[in-house]
Amino acid sequence: MEIKVIEASQTWQIRHEVMWPNEPFEFVQLEEDNSGYHFGVFDGELLVSIVSCFIEGKEMQFRKLATLENHQGKGIASNLLKYILDFAKSNNIEKVWCNARTNKKSFYEKAGFIDTYKTFTKAGQEFTIMELKT
């Protein structure tokens, strides 16, 4: 497994397949994608996990952390999360945060993220904002 910088457009297929399969493909294309940093985990030539990071001042939001279903449960997303936290530290980021699906909250808590209990619903999915001071 190797983590590489990728183009925003390389994230869209996995975002759609894993996170929003019942939405139109355009639903996963973010307006701010061109201003973000995008990382992917490759198993050989196959892109299996992705994440997008957006820095504003001393904060970084990561979005759309997703791993192909047949590669889940192998620690790939955990390694990718560690990678972007190291990326945040190297860029002097003080806070990293995400809009976590509430059913994935424990994944982020294991990595040290704290639930802010600020919740919202988007397209039928419930989210909570999770954050980590670096």
Side-chain angles (χ1 to χ4, degrees):
M1 300 284 173
E2 184 181 3
I3 298 174
K4 299 179 187 177
V5 174
I6 60 174
E7 296 294 323
S9 60
Q10 291 177 272
T11 69
W12 298 339
Q13 184 60 43
I14 292 177
R15 286 179 186 177
H16 188 254
E17 183 178 327
V18 175
M19 304 182 88
W20 300 105
N22 298 323
E23 297 293 336
F25 189 75
E26 296 75 28
F27 187 80
V28 301
Q29 298 173 19
L30 304 176
E31 187 175 316
E32 57 273 13
D33 269 342
N34 290 333
S35 64
Y37 298 88
H38 309 278
F39 302 97
V41 179
F42 289 83
D43 183 0
E45 296 295 312
L46 180 64
L47 181 60
V48 298
S49 186
I50 51 94
V51 68
S52 299
C53 301
F54 303 92
I55 296 174
E56 192 169 309
K58 294 287 185 183
E59 294 187 10
M60 182 177 84
Q61 178 188 19
F62 68 92
R63 300 179 68 179
K64 312 295 187 208
L65 175 61
T67 303
L68 292 176
E69 190 173 340
N70 60 344
H71 285 78
Q72 292 177 8
K74 300 177 182 178
I76 295 169
S78 296
N79 287 335
L80 185 53
L81 183 58
K82 181 184 179 321
Y83 183 91
I84 65 168
L85 291 175
D86 290 343
F87 172 77
K89 285 179 186 168
S90 70
N91 283 280
N92 300 311
I93 300 299
E94 295 173 2
K95 181 172 88 172
V96 177
W97 63 281
C98 71
N99 298 325
R101 291 180 186 217
T102 53
N103 65 336
K104 301 291 185 184
K105 188 171 91 162
S106 64
F107 170 80
Y108 296 104
E109 289 174 332
K110 287 179 197 170
F113 283 79
I114 305 297
D115 190 349
T116 66
Y117 297 101
K118 297 174 187 170
T119 62
F120 64 94
T121 302
K122 177 182 175 184
Q125 287 284 337
E126 188 175 307
F127 292 85
T128 188
I129 298 173
M130 306 283 293
E131 62 182 36
L132 176 71
K133 306 278 193 219
T134 56

